[in-house]
Amino acid sequence: MTTISSAAVPDRPRRRRAADRRPEVLAVLRRNGGFMSAQGLHVSMKQQGIHIGLTTVYRALSAADAEGRLEAVHALNGVKAYRYLPPVHEHHLTCRVCGAGITFFCQVLEDWVAQLGPRHGFEDVRHAVAATGTCPDCARDDVG
C-alpha cells in the first residue's frame, strides 16, 4: 500500500478568506446606502465585476455584523437585510411595506444606553435601533 505524505502534495494557492473580503462587501453596502440582502449584495457585486461567491458574502456579512459594522433587520418576508453602519451612530425608522426610511437621533435613548452597561457591569456597550412602521404613502395606499 502506498501512502502520500502531506509534504509530497504540492502547495495549492491559498484562497482568500471571507475576512479578507469584508472591505469589498462593506464598500458596496456603503455606496448603496440602504439595506440589502446577502443575495442582493452578491448580485450587485457581480454586476460591478467583483468576483465573489455567495457563501463568502454571507461569511463576510456575518463577520462584519459581529464587529458591529453593520445594522441587520428582518423584512416581513423573513429575509435578513444589512446596512453599512457609519462611524457616526444613527437610528432608523423604516417602512415595513416599501422600505423607505428616515434617520433620527434620540438623546434620551443615548443617555439610557450609556447608563445601562455600567449598571449591569458591561463595558463597550453598543446598540442599534431599527424601528419599523408604515409610511404615510403606504398607509394611504392601504386605506384607498
Side-chain angles (χ1 to χ4, degrees), residues 42-87:
H42 179 249
V43 168
S44 179
M45 292 180 81
K46 290 277 192 184
Q47 289 171 343
Q48 294 175 42
I50 302 168
H51 300 287
I52 188 169
L54 181 57
T55 301
T56 301
V57 170
Y58 273 107
R59 287 182 181 144
L61 286 170
S62 178
D65 190 27
E67 293 174 345
R69 299 178 72 185
L70 300 176
E71 180 178 0
V73 296
H74 288 277
L76 287 179
N77 61 3
V79 174
K80 195 171 186 179
Y82 302 87
R83 183 185 75 84
Y84 173 75
L85 241 156

mmCIF file of all heavy atoms in Angstrom, residues 42-87:
data_model
loop_
_atom_site.group_PDB
_atom_site.id
_atom_site.type_symbol
_atom_site.label_atom_id
_atom_site.label_comp_id
_atom_site.label_asym_id
_atom_site.label_seq_id
_atom_site.Cartn_x
_atom_site.Cartn_y
_atom_site.Cartn_z
ATOM 1 N N HIS A 42 -24.770 40.148 -3.341
ATOM 2 C CA HIS A 42 -23.999 39.257 -4.213
ATOM 3 C C HIS A 42 -24.226 39.615 -5.680
ATOM 4 O O HIS A 42 -23.273 39.758 -6.458
ATOM 5 C CB HIS A 42 -24.392 37.802 -3.935
ATOM 6 C CG HIS A 42 -23.679 36.811 -4.779
ATOM 7 N ND1 HIS A 42 -24.317 36.080 -5.751
ATOM 8 C CD2 HIS A 42 -22.373 36.444 -4.803
ATOM 9 C CE1 HIS A 42 -23.435 35.291 -6.341
ATOM 10 N NE2 HIS A 42 -22.248 35.495 -5.795
ATOM 11 N N VAL A 43 -25.476 39.810 -6.062
ATOM 12 C CA VAL A 43 -25.802 40.174 -7.444
ATOM 13 C C VAL A 43 -25.177 41.522 -7.792
ATOM 14 O O VAL A 43 -24.571 41.684 -8.859
ATOM 15 C CB VAL A 43 -27.332 40.201 -7.659
ATOM 16 C CG1 VAL A 43 -27.700 40.849 -8.985
ATOM 17 C CG2 VAL A 43 -27.903 38.792 -7.571
ATOM 18 N N SER A 44 -25.301 42.487 -6.903
ATOM 19 C CA SER A 44 -24.733 43.822 -7.137
ATOM 20 C C SER A 44 -23.217 43.753 -7.325
ATOM 21 O O SER A 44 -22.669 44.404 -8.217
ATOM 22 C CB SER A 44 -25.079 44.739 -5.966
ATOM 23 O OG SER A 44 -24.520 46.008 -6.153
ATOM 24 N N MET A 45 -22.559 42.967 -6.490
ATOM 25 C CA MET A 45 -21.107 42.839 -6.605
ATOM 26 C C MET A 45 -20.722 42.195 -7.932
ATOM 27 O O MET A 45 -19.776 42.631 -8.590
ATOM 28 C CB MET A 45 -20.547 42.058 -5.417
ATOM 29 C CG MET A 45 -20.680 42.829 -4.102
ATOM 30 S SD MET A 45 -20.044 41.945 -2.667
ATOM 31 C CE MET A 45 -18.269 42.301 -2.857
ATOM 32 N N LYS A 46 -21.455 41.158 -8.338
ATOM 33 C CA LYS A 46 -21.181 40.501 -9.625
ATOM 34 C C LYS A 46 -21.359 41.493 -10.774
ATOM 35 O O LYS A 46 -20.559 41.530 -11.700
ATOM 36 C CB LYS A 46 -22.119 39.301 -9.817
ATOM 37 C CG LYS A 46 -21.832 38.143 -8.919
ATOM 38 C CD LYS A 46 -20.734 37.311 -9.497
ATOM 39 C CE LYS A 46 -20.674 35.997 -8.743
ATOM 40 N NZ LYS A 46 -19.565 35.181 -9.181
ATOM 41 N N GLN A 47 -22.433 42.327 -10.700
ATOM 42 C CA GLN A 47 -22.685 43.310 -11.751
ATOM 43 C C GLN A 47 -21.583 44.355 -11.814
ATOM 44 O O GLN A 47 -21.336 44.945 -12.861
ATOM 45 C CB GLN A 47 -24.039 43.985 -11.523
ATOM 46 C CG GLN A 47 -25.210 43.081 -11.784
ATOM 47 C CD GLN A 47 -26.538 43.680 -11.359
ATOM 48 O OE1 GLN A 47 -26.601 44.639 -10.600
ATOM 49 N NE2 GLN A 47 -27.621 43.085 -11.850
ATOM 50 N N GLN A 48 -20.913 44.590 -10.691
ATOM 51 C CA GLN A 48 -19.817 45.556 -10.640
ATOM 52 C C GLN A 48 -18.480 44.910 -11.014
ATOM 53 O O GLN A 48 -17.442 45.553 -10.936
ATOM 54 C CB GLN A 48 -19.727 46.172 -9.248
ATOM 55 C CG GLN A 48 -20.924 47.021 -8.884
ATOM 56 C CD GLN A 48 -20.857 47.525 -7.456
ATOM 57 O OE1 GLN A 48 -19.803 47.939 -6.981
ATOM 58 N NE2 GLN A 48 -21.987 47.492 -6.771
ATOM 59 N N GLY A 49 -18.527 43.632 -11.390
ATOM 60 C CA GLY A 49 -17.312 42.942 -11.795
ATOM 61 C C GLY A 49 -16.490 42.397 -10.635
ATOM 62 O O GLY A 49 -15.326 42.035 -10.813
ATOM 63 N N ILE A 50 -17.079 42.345 -9.450
ATOM 64 C CA ILE A 50 -16.384 41.799 -8.279
ATOM 65 C C ILE A 50 -16.733 40.323 -8.199
ATOM 66 O O ILE A 50 -17.887 39.963 -7.996
ATOM 67 C CB ILE A 50 -16.799 42.530 -6.979
ATOM 68 C CG1 ILE A 50 -16.507 44.022 -7.101
ATOM 69 C CG2 ILE A 50 -16.109 41.914 -5.777
ATOM 70 C CD1 ILE A 50 -17.127 44.864 -6.001
ATOM 71 N N HIS A 51 -15.746 39.471 -8.380
ATOM 72 C CA HIS A 51 -15.973 38.026 -8.366
ATOM 73 C C HIS A 51 -15.908 37.524 -6.937
ATOM 74 O O HIS A 51 -14.852 37.537 -6.302
ATOM 75 C CB HIS A 51 -14.952 37.306 -9.256
ATOM 76 C CG HIS A 51 -15.030 37.752 -10.670
ATOM 77 N ND1 HIS A 51 -16.067 37.391 -11.506
ATOM 78 C CD2 HIS A 51 -14.241 38.580 -11.398
ATOM 79 C CE1 HIS A 51 -15.896 37.943 -12.680
ATOM 80 N NE2 HIS A 51 -14.789 38.682 -12.645
ATOM 81 N N ILE A 52 -17.066 37.104 -6.428
ATOM 82 C CA ILE A 52 -17.183 36.659 -5.051
ATOM 83 C C ILE A 52 -18.330 35.657 -4.979
ATOM 84 O O ILE A 52 -19.338 35.810 -5.676
ATOM 85 C CB ILE A 52 -17.422 37.863 -4.104
ATOM 86 C CG1 ILE A 52 -17.358 37.450 -2.640
ATOM 87 C CG2 ILE A 52 -18.717 38.566 -4.432
ATOM 88 C CD1 ILE A 52 -17.323 38.625 -1.665
ATOM 89 N N GLY A 53 -18.156 34.628 -4.191
ATOM 90 C CA GLY A 53 -19.198 33.630 -4.026
ATOM 91 C C GLY A 53 -20.232 34.067 -3.001
ATOM 92 O O GLY A 53 -19.942 34.860 -2.100
ATOM 93 N N LEU A 54 -21.431 33.527 -3.122
ATOM 94 C CA LEU A 54 -22.500 33.878 -2.194
ATOM 95 C C LEU A 54 -22.147 33.467 -0.763
ATOM 96 O O LEU A 54 -22.402 34.224 0.184
ATOM 97 C CB LEU A 54 -23.819 33.223 -2.627
ATOM 98 C CG LEU A 54 -25.038 33.513 -1.767
ATOM 99 C CD1 LEU A 54 -25.304 35.016 -1.672
ATOM 100 C CD2 LEU A 54 -26.259 32.785 -2.319
ATOM 101 N N THR A 55 -21.530 32.318 -0.596
ATOM 102 C CA THR A 55 -21.123 31.882 0.741
ATOM 103 C C THR A 55 -20.114 32.858 1.342
ATOM 104 O O THR A 55 -20.178 33.182 2.530
ATOM 105 C CB THR A 55 -20.521 30.464 0.692
ATOM 106 O OG1 THR A 55 -21.512 29.576 0.164
ATOM 107 C CG2 THR A 55 -20.090 29.988 2.059
ATOM 108 N N THR A 56 -19.212 33.353 0.533
ATOM 109 C CA THR A 56 -18.229 34.330 1.006
ATOM 110 C C THR A 56 -18.915 35.627 1.427
ATOM 111 O O THR A 56 -18.543 36.235 2.423
ATOM 112 C CB THR A 56 -17.169 34.592 -0.080
ATOM 113 O OG1 THR A 56 -16.531 33.350 -0.398
ATOM 114 C CG2 THR A 56 -16.121 35.584 0.389
ATOM 115 N N VAL A 57 -19.936 36.037 0.677
ATOM 116 C CA VAL A 57 -20.699 37.234 1.054
ATOM 117 C C VAL A 57 -21.331 37.021 2.419
ATOM 118 O O VAL A 57 -21.237 37.880 3.301
ATOM 119 C CB VAL A 57 -21.769 37.572 -0.008
ATOM 120 C CG1 VAL A 57 -22.718 38.647 0.492
ATOM 121 C CG2 VAL A 57 -21.113 38.010 -1.316
ATOM 122 N N TYR A 58 -21.976 35.865 2.610
ATOM 123 C CA TYR A 58 -22.597 35.560 3.906
ATOM 124 C C TYR A 58 -21.561 35.579 5.034
ATOM 125 O O TYR A 58 -21.814 36.139 6.098
ATOM 126 C CB TYR A 58 -23.294 34.196 3.881
ATOM 127 C CG TYR A 58 -24.708 34.236 3.384
ATOM 128 C CD1 TYR A 58 -25.040 33.740 2.132
ATOM 129 C CD2 TYR A 58 -25.729 34.765 4.173
ATOM 130 C CE1 TYR A 58 -26.352 33.757 1.671
ATOM 131 C CE2 TYR A 58 -27.040 34.786 3.724
ATOM 132 C CZ TYR A 58 -27.347 34.277 2.480
ATOM 133 O OH TYR A 58 -28.634 34.298 2.033
ATOM 134 N N ARG A 59 -20.420 34.986 4.809
ATOM 135 C CA ARG A 59 -19.384 34.944 5.844
ATOM 136 C C ARG A 59 -18.842 36.342 6.149
ATOM 137 O O ARG A 59 -18.614 36.687 7.306
ATOM 138 C CB ARG A 59 -18.248 34.015 5.419
ATOM 139 C CG ARG A 59 -18.636 32.563 5.498
ATOM 140 C CD ARG A 59 -17.476 31.673 5.130
ATOM 141 N NE ARG A 59 -17.889 30.284 5.189
ATOM 142 C CZ ARG A 59 -17.476 29.345 4.386
ATOM 143 N NH1 ARG A 59 -16.587 29.624 3.442
ATOM 144 N NH2 ARG A 59 -17.894 28.108 4.507
ATOM 145 N N ALA A 60 -18.620 37.135 5.117
ATOM 146 C CA ALA A 60 -18.117 38.496 5.323
ATOM 147 C C ALA A 60 -19.159 39.338 6.069
ATOM 148 O O ALA A 60 -18.811 40.110 6.965
ATOM 149 C CB ALA A 60 -17.759 39.140 3.983
ATOM 150 N N LEU A 61 -20.437 39.173 5.717
ATOM 151 C CA LEU A 61 -21.502 39.900 6.409
ATOM 152 C C LEU A 61 -21.580 39.480 7.872
ATOM 153 O O LEU A 61 -21.723 40.316 8.761
ATOM 154 C CB LEU A 61 -22.850 39.668 5.723
ATOM 155 C CG LEU A 61 -23.063 40.377 4.394
ATOM 156 C CD1 LEU A 61 -24.325 39.872 3.709
ATOM 157 C CD2 LEU A 61 -23.114 41.882 4.586
ATOM 158 N N SER A 62 -21.473 38.197 8.116
ATOM 159 C CA SER A 62 -21.530 37.690 9.489
ATOM 160 C C SER A 62 -20.379 38.237 10.325
ATOM 161 O O SER A 62 -20.566 38.677 11.464
ATOM 162 C CB SER A 62 -21.499 36.161 9.477
ATOM 163 O OG SER A 62 -21.507 35.661 10.778
ATOM 164 N N ALA A 63 -19.191 38.239 9.755
ATOM 165 C CA ALA A 63 -18.018 38.752 10.478
ATOM 166 C C ALA A 63 -18.145 40.255 10.721
ATOM 167 O O ALA A 63 -17.864 40.741 11.820
ATOM 168 C CB ALA A 63 -16.743 38.446 9.689
ATOM 169 N N ALA A 64 -18.580 41.000 9.721
ATOM 170 C CA ALA A 64 -18.735 42.449 9.872
ATOM 171 C C ALA A 64 -19.851 42.779 10.860
ATOM 172 O O ALA A 64 -19.746 43.733 11.636
ATOM 173 C CB ALA A 64 -19.011 43.095 8.513
ATOM 174 N N ASP A 65 -20.912 41.985 10.864
ATOM 175 C CA ASP A 65 -22.009 42.178 11.810
ATOM 176 C C ASP A 65 -21.523 41.935 13.239
ATOM 177 O O ASP A 65 -21.845 42.697 14.152
ATOM 178 C CB ASP A 65 -23.172 41.251 11.466
ATOM 179 C CG ASP A 65 -24.435 41.556 12.233
ATOM 180 O OD1 ASP A 65 -24.630 42.720 12.649
ATOM 181 O OD2 ASP A 65 -25.247 40.632 12.425
ATOM 182 N N ALA A 66 -20.726 40.896 13.426
ATOM 183 C CA ALA A 66 -20.184 40.589 14.753
ATOM 184 C C ALA A 66 -19.270 41.705 15.258
ATOM 185 O O ALA A 66 -19.164 41.925 16.464
ATOM 186 C CB ALA A 66 -19.420 39.259 14.719
ATOM 187 N N GLU A 67 -18.639 42.417 14.347
ATOM 188 C CA GLU A 67 -17.766 43.540 14.715
ATOM 189 C C GLU A 67 -18.559 44.824 14.958
ATOM 190 O O GLU A 67 -17.991 45.842 15.330
ATOM 191 C CB GLU A 67 -16.769 43.829 13.583
ATOM 192 C CG GLU A 67 -15.758 42.748 13.367
ATOM 193 C CD GLU A 67 -14.891 43.024 12.143
ATOM 194 O OE1 GLU A 67 -15.252 43.890 11.308
ATOM 195 O OE2 GLU A 67 -13.850 42.372 12.022
ATOM 196 N N GLY A 68 -19.861 44.786 14.712
ATOM 197 C CA GLY A 68 -20.683 45.975 14.898
ATOM 198 C C GLY A 68 -20.593 46.962 13.759
ATOM 199 O O GLY A 68 -20.908 48.135 13.913
ATOM 200 N N ARG A 69 -20.183 46.496 12.588
ATOM 201 C CA ARG A 69 -20.018 47.402 11.452
ATOM 202 C C ARG A 69 -21.242 47.447 10.551
ATOM 203 O O ARG A 69 -21.267 48.176 9.564
ATOM 204 C CB ARG A 69 -18.786 46.978 10.653
ATOM 205 C CG ARG A 69 -17.537 47.056 11.533
ATOM 206 C CD ARG A 69 -16.308 46.615 10.821
ATOM 207 N NE ARG A 69 -15.940 47.633 9.839
ATOM 208 C CZ ARG A 69 -14.947 47.484 8.991
ATOM 209 N NH1 ARG A 69 -14.232 46.388 9.003
ATOM 210 N NH2 ARG A 69 -14.652 48.431 8.137
ATOM 211 N N LEU A 70 -22.264 46.646 10.899
ATOM 212 C CA LEU A 70 -23.479 46.584 10.103
ATOM 213 C C LEU A 70 -24.699 46.709 10.993
ATOM 214 O O LEU A 70 -24.649 46.413 12.183
ATOM 215 C CB LEU A 70 -23.587 45.231 9.376
ATOM 216 C CG LEU A 70 -22.497 44.836 8.416
ATOM 217 C CD1 LEU A 70 -22.748 43.435 7.906
ATOM 218 C CD2 LEU A 70 -22.424 45.814 7.263
ATOM 219 N N GLU A 71 -25.793 47.082 10.381
ATOM 220 C CA GLU A 71 -27.097 47.027 11.034
ATOM 221 C C GLU A 71 -27.880 45.978 10.261
ATOM 222 O O GLU A 71 -27.882 45.968 9.033
ATOM 223 C CB GLU A 71 -27.777 48.390 10.938
ATOM 224 C CG GLU A 71 -29.128 48.435 11.591
ATOM 225 C CD GLU A 71 -29.755 49.813 11.515
ATOM 226 O OE1 GLU A 71 -29.153 50.746 10.953
ATOM 227 O OE2 GLU A 71 -30.866 49.942 12.023
ATOM 228 N N ALA A 72 -28.513 45.065 10.966
ATOM 229 C CA ALA A 72 -29.268 43.995 10.325
ATOM 230 C C ALA A 72 -30.723 44.063 10.763
ATOM 231 O O ALA A 72 -31.016 44.305 11.931
ATOM 232 C CB ALA A 72 -28.674 42.637 10.680
ATOM 233 N N VAL A 73 -31.623 43.868 9.809
ATOM 234 C CA VAL A 73 -33.051 43.830 10.093
ATOM 235 C C VAL A 73 -33.664 42.650 9.343
ATOM 236 O O VAL A 73 -33.120 42.189 8.340
ATOM 237 C CB VAL A 73 -33.773 45.138 9.679
ATOM 238 C CG1 VAL A 73 -33.274 46.322 10.480
ATOM 239 C CG2 VAL A 73 -33.640 45.402 8.193
ATOM 240 N N HIS A 74 -34.785 42.176 9.859
ATOM 241 C CA HIS A 74 -35.531 41.110 9.184
ATOM 242 C C HIS A 74 -36.753 41.734 8.518
ATOM 243 O O HIS A 74 -37.553 42.390 9.182
ATOM 244 C CB HIS A 74 -35.975 40.036 10.172
ATOM 245 C CG HIS A 74 -34.855 39.186 10.658
ATOM 246 N ND1 HIS A 74 -34.380 38.117 9.958
ATOM 247 C CD2 HIS A 74 -34.091 39.271 11.768
ATOM 248 C CE1 HIS A 74 -33.383 37.559 10.618
ATOM 249 N NE2 HIS A 74 -33.188 38.251 11.719
ATOM 250 N N ALA A 75 -36.892 41.531 7.222
ATOM 251 C CA ALA A 75 -38.051 42.028 6.496
ATOM 252 C C ALA A 75 -39.242 41.115 6.780
ATOM 253 O O ALA A 75 -39.086 40.037 7.360
ATOM 254 C CB ALA A 75 -37.745 42.068 4.999
ATOM 255 N N LEU A 76 -40.432 41.538 6.364
ATOM 256 C CA LEU A 76 -41.629 40.733 6.590
ATOM 257 C C LEU A 76 -41.530 39.360 5.932
ATOM 258 O O LEU A 76 -42.090 38.390 6.431
ATOM 259 C CB LEU A 76 -42.870 41.464 6.078
ATOM 260 C CG LEU A 76 -43.335 42.643 6.925
ATOM 261 C CD1 LEU A 76 -44.556 43.307 6.290
ATOM 262 C CD2 LEU A 76 -43.666 42.203 8.338
ATOM 263 N N ASN A 77 -40.818 39.283 4.807
ATOM 264 C CA ASN A 77 -40.680 38.004 4.117
ATOM 265 C C ASN A 77 -39.633 37.096 4.782
ATOM 266 O O ASN A 77 -39.343 36.012 4.288
ATOM 267 C CB ASN A 77 -40.349 38.213 2.643
ATOM 268 C CG ASN A 77 -39.037 38.944 2.438
ATOM 269 O OD1 ASN A 77 -38.326 39.259 3.386
ATOM 270 N ND2 ASN A 77 -38.717 39.224 1.183
ATOM 271 N N GLY A 78 -39.058 37.543 5.903
ATOM 272 C CA GLY A 78 -38.100 36.727 6.646
ATOM 273 C C GLY A 78 -36.661 36.872 6.201
ATOM 274 O O GLY A 78 -35.765 36.316 6.821
ATOM 275 N N VAL A 79 -36.423 37.613 5.130
ATOM 276 C CA VAL A 79 -35.063 37.794 4.626
ATOM 277 C C VAL A 79 -34.332 38.812 5.500
ATOM 278 O O VAL A 79 -34.875 39.855 5.825
ATOM 279 C CB VAL A 79 -35.083 38.254 3.152
ATOM 280 C CG1 VAL A 79 -33.684 38.588 2.663
ATOM 281 C CG2 VAL A 79 -35.707 37.186 2.273
ATOM 282 N N LYS A 80 -33.116 38.481 5.865
ATOM 283 C CA LYS A 80 -32.301 39.400 6.646
ATOM 284 C C LYS A 80 -31.614 40.365 5.691
ATOM 285 O O LYS A 80 -31.059 39.962 4.673
ATOM 286 C CB LYS A 80 -31.258 38.607 7.440
ATOM 287 C CG LYS A 80 -30.593 39.382 8.546
ATOM 288 C CD LYS A 80 -29.756 38.449 9.405
ATOM 289 C CE LYS A 80 -29.203 39.153 10.610
ATOM 290 N NZ LYS A 80 -28.409 38.234 11.447
ATOM 291 N N ALA A 81 -31.686 41.650 6.029
ATOM 292 C CA ALA A 81 -31.062 42.675 5.198
ATOM 293 C C ALA A 81 -30.047 43.442 6.042
ATOM 294 O O ALA A 81 -30.206 43.576 7.251
ATOM 295 C CB ALA A 81 -32.116 43.616 4.632
ATOM 296 N N TYR A 82 -29.018 43.925 5.384
ATOM 297 C CA TYR A 82 -27.911 44.575 6.073
ATOM 298 C C TYR A 82 -27.705 45.979 5.523
ATOM 299 O O TYR A 82 -27.938 46.241 4.347
ATOM 300 C CB TYR A 82 -26.619 43.782 5.859
ATOM 301 C CG TYR A 82 -26.695 42.365 6.333
ATOM 302 C CD1 TYR A 82 -27.171 41.360 5.504
ATOM 303 C CD2 TYR A 82 -26.291 42.023 7.619
ATOM 304 C CE1 TYR A 82 -27.239 40.045 5.949
ATOM 305 C CE2 TYR A 82 -26.358 40.719 8.066
ATOM 306 C CZ TYR A 82 -26.835 39.740 7.225
ATOM 307 O OH TYR A 82 -26.909 38.447 7.670
ATOM 308 N N ARG A 83 -27.224 46.857 6.399
ATOM 309 C CA ARG A 83 -26.875 48.213 6.003
ATOM 310 C C ARG A 83 -25.556 48.559 6.672
ATOM 311 O O ARG A 83 -25.328 48.218 7.834
ATOM 312 C CB ARG A 83 -27.950 49.199 6.452
ATOM 313 C CG ARG A 83 -27.684 50.635 6.000
ATOM 314 C CD ARG A 83 -28.715 51.583 6.566
ATOM 315 N NE ARG A 83 -28.478 51.838 7.976
ATOM 316 C CZ ARG A 83 -27.626 52.751 8.457
ATOM 317 N NH1 ARG A 83 -26.921 53.491 7.626
ATOM 318 N NH2 ARG A 83 -27.481 52.930 9.741
ATOM 319 N N TYR A 84 -24.702 49.234 5.939
ATOM 320 C CA TYR A 84 -23.432 49.682 6.490
ATOM 321 C C TYR A 84 -23.710 50.649 7.625
ATOM 322 O O TYR A 84 -24.527 51.560 7.497
ATOM 323 C CB TYR A 84 -22.604 50.362 5.398
ATOM 324 C CG TYR A 84 -21.343 51.001 5.916
ATOM 325 C CD1 TYR A 84 -20.252 50.231 6.273
ATOM 326 C CD2 TYR A 84 -21.257 52.376 6.059
ATOM 327 C CE1 TYR A 84 -19.093 50.816 6.757
ATOM 328 C CE2 TYR A 84 -20.109 52.970 6.542
ATOM 329 C CZ TYR A 84 -19.027 52.181 6.892
ATOM 330 O OH TYR A 84 -17.898 52.770 7.374
ATOM 331 N N LEU A 85 -23.045 50.456 8.738
ATOM 332 C CA LEU A 85 -23.195 51.342 9.886
ATOM 333 C C LEU A 85 -22.080 52.364 9.853
ATOM 334 O O LEU A 85 -20.917 52.022 10.033
ATOM 335 C CB LEU A 85 -23.096 50.522 11.183
ATOM 336 C CG LEU A 85 -24.334 50.562 12.038
ATOM 337 C CD1 LEU A 85 -24.388 49.340 12.930
ATOM 338 C CD2 LEU A 85 -24.423 51.809 12.830
ATOM 339 N N PRO A 86 -22.420 53.610 9.580
ATOM 340 C CA PRO A 86 -21.375 54.629 9.542
ATOM 341 C C PRO A 86 -20.760 54.827 10.923
ATOM 342 O O PRO A 86 -21.379 54.482 11.929
ATOM 343 C CB PRO A 86 -22.105 55.889 9.085
ATOM 344 C CG PRO A 86 -23.539 55.633 9.346
ATOM 345 C CD PRO A 86 -23.738 54.149 9.347
ATOM 346 N N PRO A 87 -19.556 55.374 10.983
ATOM 347 C CA PRO A 87 -18.913 55.596 12.269
ATOM 348 C C PRO A 87 -19.740 56.476 13.200
ATOM 349 O O PRO A 87 -19.719 56.306 14.390
ATOM 350 C CB PRO A 87 -17.591 56.279 11.912
ATOM 351 C CG PRO A 87 -17.350 55.931 10.485
ATOM 352 C CD PRO A 87 -18.697 55.743 9.872
#
